[in-house]
């Protein structure tokens, strides 16, 4: 027994010795792009089966875990989040409502690791457990029940609620298997549908017979394979059939006449019962898609009569068919979008009937059809939400129950009047309301009781802006305690993203509030490349204009220093996924400006992204190395190739998920290896590898809390958050 105490005490020292004495193996490769020679010092790390790569990554992961495990803020964070869960008793998500007023949803009690599937009739009905994913046995590995963790990542009940498709994934992977349950008897059909990724594309969409559905099939689900994500196909499935005998109905192989690129994702657009047409998208990361249509009668006869409906250049954003019409959000000559309708028999997407014109200062975010009209939501600067109804030629503003940063809308479909909204903000829990059009009133219908958070009393959310170097006003969210006396010693953590035209929308940010109440400022820089100000905001941080994204983050940091909120030694920045471009290039362009940075499963090697399994689908957003101008843009946004030998970089926490199908794990590995070899600051550089996770989702809640807790703990350690410093300087 006596050996355990000294091992705990010296483990970080032993790990640090290993980290420093086991440098990443380097086998440089030189590539030529349009006459430009690019040296890649760590091309060999792209081979994730190489024993030398495996060993180096394992040494780094062990060291990072040993350091992060000592940081006191992590324990505080996890304990506090579990306390909140216990206070509320349980949490729910993924609510789906069907005909017959059946409610299906996922629920997790405070003392449970994962969510289970429940249902009830009506919002006040008796709750009944339908399915526990712990009982699932994978078709790929019958021993998985004992060895792996499965979670439910998607639900799709049939129109009448008699059946439900349950999608299950393992250890953070995006690929899933789907089982079908008869709701009344809880009978699970023996056929298991495999090779789906319903959280990203091709969700299960039931036909009105409640016995058949569409889904998108991935021929290859190995994220290490160059064939991953290629040649996906829309499959039509009828209950009882052998899933291996797929009925491919819309794909590159099935429809060679459509010239579908192998990296595009075919999928069926959500439809209504009895709609005379099916609409199919060719998806990628672009805001807009090439889209095709088939008459349902032709489909039922097996006639391959898919034909173009519109192309990307027509700028159709979201759309919902309704009989012979299709309602849609249009970005054509309207960067903030307009709400339109056109006839599917004689469609005109560039000159449609305009229901709601583009609004000057509000971006239309979403819409839903009901028998009473079209409900839609907007936001201003991505953080100020509004709610409207278009009905009988009138555009009616509906005051929200309280000021909200974001609003989501839920209906049963075009043949029903029911509509619900969920309102949320940085400082308040999501609250769900049913709207009664007859009385113009909201009735609260939360599935989870609201609880008080006295710990957050006095937290302030300030929505402001700063002026970037080119004079553009960039929205900025600041969260802090009302008693904060800002000065150069105030710890600040800034998060930013800025890609795909996605706004960083407000949500109930307990983690941000916790940071604020401990004396720090949490900031969200709504940098260009996101969608806070519509399509123009996206295109201002896109391909050749991408430098605006990270320079906005740099300008935000300098603004906070200039305004007296903080100083260089007290600032940490954080970016995840495509936010790795933002943070990676901010620290390589201005390494002097930040004390610490977190690059969380970050895209840091842009010129190699195209050869990754998920890369081809991202070409519309970032560009391709096969075009001179786009290659230059990719090289400019490549943080790996902007690392300089002998530079002093901030302290770094770099993370990767071994099952990550979006940002392959060798990308952050290469970034970590090169910056470790180049840095002369002596600051900690940690490379954490999650060997049981992927891009961040699909893990049990305790592990999820631990992962987020480590990010805040690392920031707290480096920027000196009072009361949360390790007893000894871990990792130094």
């Amino acid at each position: 027994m006596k050996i355990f105490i000294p091992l705990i005490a010296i483990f970080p020292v032993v790990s640090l010795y290993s980290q420093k004495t086991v440098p990443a193996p380097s086998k440089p490769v030189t590539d030529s792009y349009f006459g430009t020679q690019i040296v890649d010092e760590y091309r060999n790390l792209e081979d994730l089966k190489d024993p030398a790569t495996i060993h180096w990554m394992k040494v780094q992961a062990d060291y990072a875990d040993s350091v992060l495990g000592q940081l006191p803020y992590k324990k505080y964070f996890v304990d506090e989040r579990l306390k909140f869960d216990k206070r509320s008793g349980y949490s729910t998500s993924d609510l789906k409502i069907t005909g017959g007023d059946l409610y299906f949803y996922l629920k997790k009690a405070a003392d449970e690791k994962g969510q289970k599937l429940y249902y009830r009739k009506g919002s006040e009905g008796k709750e009944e457990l339908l399915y526990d994913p712990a009982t699932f046995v994978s078709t790929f590995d019958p021993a998985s029940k004992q060895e792996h963790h499965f979670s439910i990542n998607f639900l799709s009940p049939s129109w009448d609620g008699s059946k439900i498709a349950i999608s299950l994934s393992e250890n953070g992977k995006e690929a899933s298997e789907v089982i079908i349950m008869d709701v009344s008897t809880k009978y699970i059909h023996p056929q298991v549908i495999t090779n789906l990724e319903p959280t990203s594309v091709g969700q299960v969409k039931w036909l009105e017979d409640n016995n058949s559905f569409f889904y998108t099939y991935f021929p290859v689900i190995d994220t290490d394979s160059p064939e991953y994500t290629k040649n996906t196909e829309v499959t039509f499935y009828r209950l009882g059939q052998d899933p291996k005998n797929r009925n491919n109905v819309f794909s590159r192989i099935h429809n060679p006449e459509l010239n579908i690129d192998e990296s595009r994702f075919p999928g069926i657009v959500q439809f209504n019962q009895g709609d005379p047409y099916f609409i199919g998208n060719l998806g990628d990361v672009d805001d807009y898609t090439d889209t095709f249509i088939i008459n349902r009668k032709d489909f039922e006869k097996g006639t391959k009569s898919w034909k173009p409906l519109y192309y990307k250049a027509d700028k159709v954003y979201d759309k919902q068919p309704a009989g012979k019409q299709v309602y849609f959000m249009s970005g054509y000559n309207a960067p903030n979008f307009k709400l339109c309708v056109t006839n599917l028999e004689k469609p005109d997407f560039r000159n449609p009937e305009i229901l709601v014109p583009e609004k000057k200062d509000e971006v239309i975010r979403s819409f839903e059809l009901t028998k009473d009209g079209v409900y839609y939501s907007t936001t201003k600067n991505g953080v100020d939400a509004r709610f409207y109804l278009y009905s009988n030629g009138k555009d009616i503003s509906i005051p929200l129950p309280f000021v909200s940063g974001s609003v989501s809308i839920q209906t049963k479909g075009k043949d029903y009047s029911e509509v619900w909204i969920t309102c949320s903000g940085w400082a308040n829990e999501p609250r769900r309301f049913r709207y009664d059009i007859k009385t113009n009133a909201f009735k609260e219908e939360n599935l989870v009781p609201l609880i008080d958070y006295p710990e957050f009393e006095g937290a302030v959310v300030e929505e402001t802006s700063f002026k970037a170097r080119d004079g553009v006003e960039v929205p900025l969210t600041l969260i802090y305690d009302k008693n904060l006396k800002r000065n150069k010693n105030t710890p600040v953590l800034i998060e930013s993203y800025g890609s795909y035209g996605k706004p960083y929308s407000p949500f109930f940010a307990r983690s941000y509030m916790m940071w604020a109440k401990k004396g720090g400022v949490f900031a969200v820089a709504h940098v260009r490349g996101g969608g806070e100000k519509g399509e123009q905001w996206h295109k201002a941080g896109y391909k050749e204009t991408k430098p605006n994204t990270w320079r906005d983050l740099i300008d935000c940091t300098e603004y906070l220093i200039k305004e007296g909120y903080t100083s260089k030694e007290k600032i940490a920045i954080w970016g995840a996924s495509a936010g790795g471009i933002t943070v990676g290039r901010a620290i390589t362009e201005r390494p002097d400006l930040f004390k610490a940075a977190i690059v969380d499963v970050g895209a840091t090697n842009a010129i190699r992204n195209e050869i990754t399994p998920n890369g081809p689908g991202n070409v519309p957003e970032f560009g391709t190395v096969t075009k001179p101008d786009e290659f230059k843009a990719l090289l400019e946004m490549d943080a790996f190739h902007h690392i300089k030998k002998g530079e002093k970089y901030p302290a770094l926490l770099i993370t990767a998920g071994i099952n990550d199908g979006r940002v392959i794990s060798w990308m952050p590995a290469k970034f970590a290896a090169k910056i470790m070899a180049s840095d002369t600051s002596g600051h900690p550089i940690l490379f954490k590898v999650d060997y049981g996770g992927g891009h961040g989702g699909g893990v049990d809640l305790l592990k999820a809390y631990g992962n987020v807790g480590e990010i805040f703990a690392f920031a707290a350690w480096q920027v000196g958050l009072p009361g949360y410093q390790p007893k000894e300087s871990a990792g130094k």
Side-chain angles (χ1 to χ4, degrees):
M1 291 294 292
K2 63 183 180 180
I3 64 170
F4 286 106
I5 294 175
L7 274 177
I8 292 173
I10 67 171
F11 185 55
V13 178
V14 172
S15 298
L16 176 59
Y17 177 78
S18 299
Q19 188 202 36
K20 299 299 184 184
T21 57
V22 184
S26 173
K27 297 179 181 179
V29 172
T30 300
D31 297 310
S32 179
Y33 301 91
F34 306 103
T36 301
Q37 305 297 308
I38 304 293
V39 178
D40 185 339
E41 301 91 335
Y42 293 97
R43 179 67 56 79
N44 52 295
L45 294 185
E46 294 180 11
D47 182 0
L48 294 171
K49 293 182 171 62
D50 183 343
T53 298
I54 293 170
H55 176 64
W56 178 77
M57 289 179 67
K58 189 67 169 63
V59 167
Q60 295 301 323
D62 287 345
Y63 173 61
D65 287 341
S66 70
V67 173
L68 294 168
Q70 295 182 86
L71 301 179
Y73 196 92
K74 177 183 177 180
K75 183 178 186 308
Y76 156 73
F77 185 90
V78 173
D79 289 348
E80 198 76 353
R81 293 305 301 265
L82 291 174
K83 182 177 76 175
F84 296 157
D85 290 349
K86 187 175 181 180
R87 187 183 302 168
S88 63
Y90 59 90
S91 60
T92 65
S93 66
D94 293 357
L95 172 65
K96 304 288 193 302
I97 305 174
T98 71
D101 206 30
L102 295 179
Y103 283 51
F104 296 88
Y105 52 94
L106 299 178
K107 176 181 174 181
K108 190 195 84 70
D111 58 351
E112 293 177 327
K113 291 184 66 175
Q115 295 177 308
K116 300 174 184 177
L117 171 60
Y118 291 82
Y119 90 117
R120 63 174 69 174
K121 184 172 178 60
S123 62
E124 304 296 329
K126 181 182 178 182
E127 180 179 83
E128 186 170 344
L129 174 66
L130 274 182
Y131 188 72
D132 182 351
T135 63
F136 178 67
V137 178
S138 172
T139 58
F140 297 117
D141 180 7
S144 62
K145 181 179 178 181
Q146 288 76 34
E147 297 175 0
H148 302 294
H149 169 74
F150 283 88
S151 60
I152 300 173
N153 65 358
F154 180 73
L155 304 175
S156 180
S158 62
W159 287 95
D160 64 358
S162 64
K163 300 178 182 69
I164 187 166
I166 307 167
S167 173
L168 300 114
S169 64
E170 174 196 5
N171 292 337
K173 296 178 181 178
E174 297 202 43
S176 66
E177 301 170 69
V178 170
I179 59 174
I180 309 298
M181 173 185 283
D182 290 341
V183 174
S184 62
T185 63
K186 300 183 184 178
Y187 170 74
I188 298 174
H189 291 248
Q191 297 83 10
V192 178
I193 318 295
T194 64
N195 294 49
L196 289 85
E197 291 199 3
T199 59
S200 58
V201 68
Q203 299 173 350
V204 170
K205 294 182 174 68
W206 290 85
L207 276 73
E208 58 265 36
D209 64 2
N210 302 296
N211 202 48
S212 56
F213 53 78
F214 295 105
Y215 71 94
T216 298
Y217 175 84
F218 284 64
V220 177
I221 57 173
D222 179 2
T223 56
D224 293 334
S225 170
E227 299 305 307
Y228 172 63
T229 75
K230 293 182 179 179
N231 294 309
T232 56
E233 57 192 51
V234 172
T235 299
F236 177 73
Y237 179 74
R238 193 174 298 279
L239 294 188
Q241 292 178 341
D242 184 351
K244 294 179 181 178
N245 299 326
R246 296 187 311 281
N247 184 7
N248 181 348
V249 296
F250 178 48
S251 68
R252 180 171 182 259
I253 294 172
H254 184 262
N255 304 96
E257 74 282 1
L258 300 181
N259 297 315
I260 298 173
D261 184 88
E262 66 178 2
S263 297
R264 304 288 292 280
F265 298 99
I268 299 294
V269 175
Q270 188 68 52
F271 50 87
N272 302 285
Q273 300 180 73
D275 278 354
Y277 299 98
F278 292 130
I279 297 174
N281 275 344
L282 298 183
D284 51 33
V285 299
D286 200 348
D287 290 341
Y288 308 114
T289 64
D290 295 328
T291 299
F292 299 82
I293 189 169
I294 189 172
N295 188 292
R296 183 187 281 231
K297 291 180 180 179
D298 286 350
F299 174 81
E300 291 170 350
K301 289 187 295 186
T303 304
K304 293 199 297 182
S305 63
W306 288 97
K307 62 181 181 180
L309 181 61
Y310 58 80
Y311 294 103
K312 285 189 175 188
D314 294 312
K315 294 196 171 184
V316 175
Y317 191 63
D318 193 12
K319 64 268 184 185
Q320 294 188 30
K324 294 182 179 181
Q325 293 182 308
V326 60
Y327 293 78
F328 62 99
M329 290 164 52
S330 172
Y332 193 75
N333 293 327
N336 287 351
F337 301 111
K338 53 194 175 189
L339 195 57
C340 307
V341 64
T342 193
N343 191 293
L344 288 170
E345 296 185 339
K346 293 183 179 180
D348 187 344
F349 288 95
R350 296 199 178 188
N351 296 286
E353 179 185 350
I354 298 173
L355 306 179
V356 179
E358 179 186 25
K359 296 176 186 289
K360 181 180 178 181
D361 296 321
E362 299 173 47
V363 179
I364 297 177
R365 289 293 173 207
S366 65
F367 73 94
E368 294 291 342
L369 305 180
T370 70
K371 66 186 299 183
D372 301 312
V374 185
Y375 290 93
Y376 69 98
S377 68
T378 70
T379 60
K380 183 176 181 180
N381 290 334
V383 296
D384 181 5
R386 316 284 171 85
F387 183 50
Y388 296 89
L389 169 64
Y390 174 83
S391 180
N392 297 320
K394 296 181 180 179
D395 188 21
I396 305 165
S397 176
I398 304 173
L400 292 170
F402 59 91
V403 175
S404 302
S406 61
V407 168
S408 62
I409 308 170
Q410 186 173 29
T411 69
K412 290 184 179 180
K414 70 178 183 64
D415 299 321
Y416 301 86
S417 285
E418 288 93 338
V419 60
W420 296 264
I421 63 167
T422 299
C423 302
S424 189
W426 304 111
N428 51 273
E429 280 193 283
R431 295 170 63 185
R432 183 171 172 271
F433 299 87
R434 181 194 289 256
Y435 176 66
D436 187 331
I437 190 172
K438 294 179 181 179
T439 62
N440 189 29
F442 289 97
K443 177 185 177 184
E444 197 150 5
E445 287 189 358
N446 295 301
L447 293 183
V448 178
L450 297 175
I451 63 172
D452 292 326
Y453 289 87
E455 298 90 344
F456 301 157
E457 186 176 344
V460 173
V461 177
E462 180 183 351
E463 300 293 2
T464 184
S465 66
F466 62 91
K467 189 169 288 189
R469 64 191 70 184
D470 58 0
V472 171
E473 289 287 333
V474 180
L476 173 64
T477 299
L478 297 174
I479 302 172
Y480 52 87
D481 186 76
K482 67 178 183 181
N483 296 316
L484 178 75
K485 299 188 184 305
R486 62 191 193 193
N487 56 54
K488 65 180 182 179
N489 293 315
T490 304
V492 173
L493 177 55
I494 311 170
E495 188 173 11
S496 61
Y497 184 69
S499 285
Y500 305 114
K502 304 300 182 187
Y504 202 120
S505 300
F507 61 96
F508 184 38
R510 297 174 183 86
S511 55
Y512 302 175
M513 298 294 153
M514 291 163 61
W515 176 267
K517 291 303 292 182
K518 290 299 178 181
V521 173
F522 193 92
V524 178
H526 299 277
V527 297
R528 280 172 279 187
E532 283 82 352
K533 294 187 177 183
E535 185 187 14
Q536 60 186 3
W537 201 246
H538 175 206
K539 293 301 192 257
Y542 165 92
K543 293 186 178 179
E544 287 88 345
T545 62
K546 194 64 181 169
N548 286 329
T549 302
W550 64 81
R551 289 170 186 165
D552 282 351
L553 175 57
I554 291 170
D555 294 348
C556 170
T557 305
E558 293 187 321
Y559 166 81
L560 292 173
I561 294 170
K562 180 182 176 182
E563 293 298 311
Y565 282 95
T566 189
S567 60
K568 292 180 180 181
E569 288 299 306
K570 293 294 181 177
I571 296 174
I573 55 176
W574 173 18
S577 193
I581 296 173
T582 313
V583 169
R585 284 298 283 116
I587 64 169
T588 49
E589 189 158 303
R590 285 294 307 276
D592 62 304
L593 191 58
F594 314 100
K595 181 63 169 64
I598 298 98
V599 182
D600 189 17
V601 292
T604 49
N605 193 189
I607 65 169
R608 294 293 288 169
N609 188 58
E610 199 171 344
I611 64 97
T612 70
N614 194 42
N618 280 280
V619 166
E621 175 70 15
F622 302 118
T624 173
V625 295
T626 64
K627 297 178 180 179
D629 290 345
E630 293 188 6
F631 156 69
K632 290 179 182 178
L634 285 164
L635 182 59
E636 184 62 22
M637 69 181 81
D638 190 310
F640 174 79
H641 282 296
H642 281 82
I643 296 170
K644 296 176 182 177
K645 194 75 175 176
E647 184 63 82
K648 294 181 179 180
Y649 288 103
L652 278 161
L653 171 59
I654 305 160
T655 75
I658 208 67
N659 297 321
D660 195 339
R662 302 199 187 196
V663 177
I664 196 165
S665 57
W666 57 250
M667 191 174 288
K670 288 174 65 178
F671 181 71
K674 187 173 181 179
I675 209 161
M676 286 178 184
S678 303
D679 176 63
T680 59
S681 71
H683 296 145
I685 299 175
L686 305 181
F687 178 43
K688 176 183 172 64
V689 184
D690 185 350
Y691 286 98
H695 200 61
V699 297
D700 69 71
L701 214 51
L702 184 60
K703 182 174 181 179
Y705 289 163
N707 290 343
V708 178
E710 287 175 349
I711 289 170
F712 278 89
F714 181 81
W717 170 33
Q718 289 302 309
V719 300
L721 189 73
Y724 290 96
Q725 301 306 298
K727 294 181 180 178
E728 297 181 7
S729 295
K732 290 189 177 181

